[in-house]
Amino acid sequence: MIKHNDIRIDRKKIHPCLSYKIDLLLKKCNKQGIYIIITEGFRTVEYQDKLYAQGRTTQGKIVTNAKGKDYQSQHQWGIAFDIAINDTKLLYDVATLKKVANIAKSKGVGLAWGGDWVSPVDMPHFYLGKWGDTTSKLKAKYGTPDKFRLYWTRTVRGTNRGLNIWNKSHTKVLLKVANNNIVNVMYDTKHGFTKVEYLGFVGYMKTKYLR
């Protein structure tokens, strides 16, 4: 096995929370001697439709049931990625993929797994489970991936001295961010804070000062 990860996607095009969880997954897998290739991330409408045509109107085996023009793929929304094992003998080895899945689904990472689907079973596929197994909830709430992407960042506003990024328990300041700086948004909590990433720092900021 090659002892390094191979990330072949543009992480700027996937949800900030997914990018963060990829780092958690890679770190935990590496500790167990598993190294991963991230093979697929964000997909355009055109690319998704090309994959959908495979095995139907073009040569090859069917690889997806999701139509690009209907935004049916989680990849189009930036909330999913696919993997292989970075070992030519184990690329899609079922036992190793299951080990990765156990790590991915653990509390310390918190991803959902396509291997748990009934049809199709998609073992190399991992995603943010917040919106369910399909893109229906995303389409109902946001309409299109482009509109969804507008919620991935916010700007620090309305503070005199900047806004703190706190640790999870809100007892330690990790960094102070000046007004008008843009932070990456993972999600809003129920307690008036938003989990963010900024310059590699991950923590919590007061939601009311993020616009």
Side-chain angles (χ1 to χ4, degrees):
M1 182 178 290
I2 300 171
K3 293 187 177 182
H4 64 78
N5 304 303
D6 185 357
I7 301 175
R8 301 178 181 178
I9 66 171
D10 185 349
R11 294 176 67 166
K12 294 179 181 178
K13 294 183 178 180
I14 62 174
H15 195 285
C17 191
L18 186 68
S19 184
Y20 173 65
K21 289 180 180 292
I22 284 176
D23 285 335
L24 296 177
L25 176 64
L26 294 178
K27 185 176 181 179
K28 290 180 179 292
C29 284
N30 294 168
K31 285 184 177 180
Q32 295 196 25
I34 301 172
Y35 297 87
I36 291 173
I37 305 170
I38 307 292
T39 59
E40 293 271 350
F42 171 75
R43 292 176 184 166
T44 63
V45 171
E46 294 76 17
Y47 181 49
Q48 185 64 37
D49 276 336
K50 182 179 179 181
L51 291 176
Y52 182 79
Q54 186 175 316
R56 294 182 173 91
T57 58
T58 63
Q59 291 186 344
K61 295 193 302 181
I62 290 177
V63 293
T64 181
N65 292 327
K67 295 180 181 179
K69 65 180 181 179
D70 296 332
Y71 306 124
Q72 292 179 343
S73 172
Q74 293 173 330
H75 290 280
Q76 293 177 268
W77 294 84
I79 64 164
F81 64 94
D82 294 344
I83 72 163
I85 308 304
N86 203 3
D87 185 327
T88 54
K89 296 180 180 179
L90 298 172
L91 279 175
Y92 295 104
D93 177 70
V94 172
T96 309
L97 288 173
K98 286 183 176 180
K99 288 179 182 178
V100 174
N102 286 335
I103 297 170
K105 295 191 295 179
S106 68
K107 187 176 180 180
V109 179
L111 287 166
W113 181 42
D116 288 328
W117 294 347
V118 175
S119 179
V121 177
D122 193 351
M123 296 186 71
H125 183 85
F126 296 86
Y127 62 100
L128 296 176
K130 178 179 179 180
W131 297 280
D133 298 341
T134 72
T135 63
S136 297
K137 291 182 180 179
L138 287 165
K139 286 192 286 185
K141 185 170 183 178
Y142 301 103
T144 68
D146 284 342
K147 291 180 180 177
F148 176 50
R149 197 170 290 110
L150 297 176
Y151 292 85
W152 294 7
T153 59
R154 291 184 200 161
T155 303
V156 177
R157 296 276 174 81
T159 65
N160 294 324
R161 300 180 180 178
L163 190 61
N164 292 330
I165 298 180
W166 295 88
N167 65 352
K168 188 174 183 179
S169 61
H170 306 152
T171 56
K172 181 181 179 181
V173 175
L174 305 178
L175 186 71
K176 184 180 290 291
V177 182
N179 274 337
N180 300 317
N181 279 294
I182 297 173
V183 299
N184 294 316
V185 173
M186 297 189 191
Y187 58 84
D188 294 326
T189 73
K190 297 178 181 179
H191 308 290
F193 282 83
T194 298
K195 189 169 185 178
V196 304
E197 184 277 332
Y198 179 73
L199 298 179
F201 289 87
V202 175
Y204 298 81
M205 303 181 92
K206 290 184 178 179
T207 304
K208 66 180 180 180
Y209 295 114
L210 298 173
R211 310 289 171 82

